[in-house]
Amino acid sequence: MDWSKTKTIFIITFLILDCFLGYQFMEKRNSSQLDVILETTIEEQLDANGITYVELPKEITKAAYVSGKSKKFTEEEVKKLSGQKVTIQDDKELKGTFVHPISLNFKDPYRLKEFLQRHIIDGQKYTFWAFDGKSNTVICYQTYDGKIIYNENSKLLIHVNDRNEAVSYEQTMLDDLQKYERKQDIVPAIKAIETLYKKGYLQPGDRVTSVELGYYGLVQFTASQVLTPTWHIVVNGKEDYFINAFEGQIINDEGNVLE
């Protein structure tokens, strides 16, 4: 036997074995590290990226679809509005112009509520949403069961002049609102935030400034509208996002579900 050749074969064999064992070790270590990453909670991931959020609602765990239909305004209702010139468009939209501009302090919830109750049909059913400074428009949405309905068919636009006086408005409204009998589990608020994070809508250092449950009109039938429970999430006090509370998908401005 040629001992020199045998020794060389053993050395090569042990080197190959060492390389194999080293490879196996690295694979196992990487796998373990990946498992740790996968086990990291969404709260920990957000914290690691400096993403903060307000206290989240935890008491709401179930909700139901709501059905309704566009309200048909009548001439009798319009006649009860004083100091206005009002027209009805296609039975479903009011366009009003105030004979004399009316002071509107929309930043004061009490004053706005008073204005709505006095000058708008069923004004008590609307709440402030935002002010568009470019068009000088106060945007209000209809509410149901204490929740906002984010829908073009439940919207009130009040146009103001440079002195914050209401000069005209457009109004739509949903009527005969009813909850479906069957309630379903909803996606927790933190899961809705996780969806935004994983889709890249939350960046390091962002803050979620508001989280509330409302309704969004996703399904439109000829005579009725189906409203879906929806999480409304505001980021950095200016970016609005809507998450389907049943399926956890993001809804865009046109009411379409994003993948």
Side-chain angles (χ1 to χ4, degrees), residues 167-214:
V167 293
S168 63
Y169 67 90
E170 291 96 42
Q171 178 187 8
T172 56
M173 187 175 182
L174 290 174
D175 208 2
D176 295 335
L177 292 167
Q178 298 181 44
K179 284 185 180 180
Y180 283 43
E181 291 186 7
R182 179 171 172 268
K183 286 190 174 183
Q184 302 181 42
D185 293 332
I186 64 171
V187 173
I190 188 64
K191 285 293 184 182
I193 292 176
E194 181 179 13
T195 297
L196 291 178
Y197 172 70
K198 288 185 174 180
K199 295 292 185 181
Y201 292 99
L202 281 176
Q203 300 299 317
D206 280 347
R207 176 165 176 78
V208 174
T209 50
S210 177
V211 179
E212 61 180 351
L213 190 68

Side-chain angles (χ1 to χ4, degrees), residues 115-182:
F115 172 89
L116 294 175
Q117 290 179 336
R118 181 175 298 181
H119 302 289
I120 303 297
I121 293 175
D122 287 327
Q124 74 280 1
K125 296 181 179 180
Y126 292 85
T127 191
F128 176 79
W129 164 256
F131 176 70
D132 184 345
K134 293 181 180 179
S135 62
N136 271 14
T137 302
V138 178
I139 304 171
C140 299
Y141 278 114
Q142 187 180 346
T143 62
Y144 173 71
D145 193 29
K147 299 177 180 61
I148 298 177
I149 303 173
Y150 309 103
N151 192 281
E152 290 299 315
N153 296 320
S154 58
K155 198 172 188 179
L156 173 65
L157 301 177
I158 306 171
H159 306 290
V160 300
N161 58 25
D162 293 336
R163 296 186 296 276
N164 281 336
E165 295 173 325
V167 293
S168 63
Y169 67 90
E170 291 96 42
Q171 178 187 8
T172 56
M173 187 175 182
L174 290 174
D175 208 2
D176 295 335
L177 292 167
Q178 298 181 44
K179 284 185 180 180
Y180 283 43
E181 291 186 7
R182 179 171 172 268

Side-chain angles (χ1 to χ4, degrees), residues 5-255:
K5 290 184 178 180
T6 302
K7 184 172 64 172
T8 301
I9 293 173
F10 272 112
I11 292 173
I12 293 173
T13 301
F14 278 115
L15 285 174
I16 293 173
L17 180 60
D18 285 342
C19 289
F20 174 75
L21 292 176
Y23 173 78
Q24 289 290 92
F25 173 76
M26 292 299 295
E27 284 289 299
K28 186 174 182 180
R29 189 181 71 170
N30 291 338
S31 177
S32 298
Q33 291 176 341
L34 179 60
D35 288 341
V36 171
I37 293 173
L38 292 176
E39 290 173 2
T40 302
T41 65
I42 181 59
E43 290 89 347
E44 292 170 333
Q45 293 177 51
L46 294 175
D47 183 61
N49 283 276
I51 299 173
T52 58
Y53 48 89
V54 296
E55 183 177 353
L56 305 179
K58 298 181 177 64
E59 71 280 1
I60 308 174
T61 59
K62 291 181 178 290
Y65 288 105
V66 171
S67 65
K69 60 183 181 180
S70 293
K71 176 180 174 61
K72 292 186 177 182
F73 295 99
T74 66
E75 292 293 344
E76 292 181 2
E77 290 175 309
V78 170
K79 288 179 181 178
K80 295 178 182 179
L81 297 171
S82 59
Q84 306 179 31
K85 296 179 179 179
V86 183
T87 58
I88 303 175
Q89 306 288 322
D90 299 324
D91 294 334
K92 301 176 182 179
E93 181 182 14
L94 285 188
K95 290 191 175 184
T97 300
F98 296 107
V99 176
H100 302 288
I102 301 173
S103 177
L104 175 59
N105 185 358
F106 59 86
K107 295 181 180 179
D108 183 333
Y110 175 79
R111 295 297 183 187
L112 176 60
K113 182 178 179 180
E114 184 179 51
F115 172 89
L116 294 175
Q117 290 179 336
R118 181 175 298 181
H119 302 289
I120 303 297
I121 293 175
D122 287 327
Q124 74 280 1
K125 296 181 179 180
Y126 292 85
T127 191
F128 176 79
W129 164 256
F131 176 70
D132 184 345
K134 293 181 180 179
S135 62
N136 271 14
T137 302
V138 178
I139 304 171
C140 299
Y141 278 114
Q142 187 180 346
T143 62
Y144 173 71
D145 193 29
K147 299 177 180 61
I148 298 177
I149 303 173
Y150 309 103
N151 192 281
E152 290 299 315
N153 296 320
S154 58
K155 198 172 188 179
L156 173 65
L157 301 177
I158 306 171
H159 306 290
V160 300
N161 58 25
D162 293 336
R163 296 186 296 276
N164 281 336
E165 295 173 325
V167 293
S168 63
Y169 67 90
E170 291 96 42
Q171 178 187 8
T172 56
M173 187 175 182
L174 290 174
D175 208 2
D176 295 335
L177 292 167
Q178 298 181 44
K179 284 185 180 180
Y180 283 43
E181 291 186 7
R182 179 171 172 268
K183 286 190 174 183
Q184 302 181 42
D185 293 332
I186 64 171
V187 173
I190 188 64
K191 285 293 184 182
I193 292 176
E194 181 179 13
T195 297
L196 291 178
Y197 172 70
K198 288 185 174 180
K199 295 292 185 181
Y201 292 99
L202 281 176
Q203 300 299 317
D206 280 347
R207 176 165 176 78
V208 174
T209 50
S210 177
V211 179
E212 61 180 351
L213 190 68
Y215 295 102
Y216 206 108
L218 287 181
V219 182
Q220 175 75 62
F221 296 109
T222 303
S224 64
Q225 175 94 49
V226 176
L227 307 174
T228 304
T230 301
W231 285 113
H232 170 226
I233 298 177
V234 182
V235 178
N236 299 326
K238 57 183 180 180
E239 299 293 337
D240 295 290
Y241 298 98
F242 300 94
I243 315 295
N244 186 313
F246 284 152
E247 301 176 3
Q249 297 167 310
I250 302 173
I251 305 168
N252 67 10
D253 293 338
E254 287 73 39

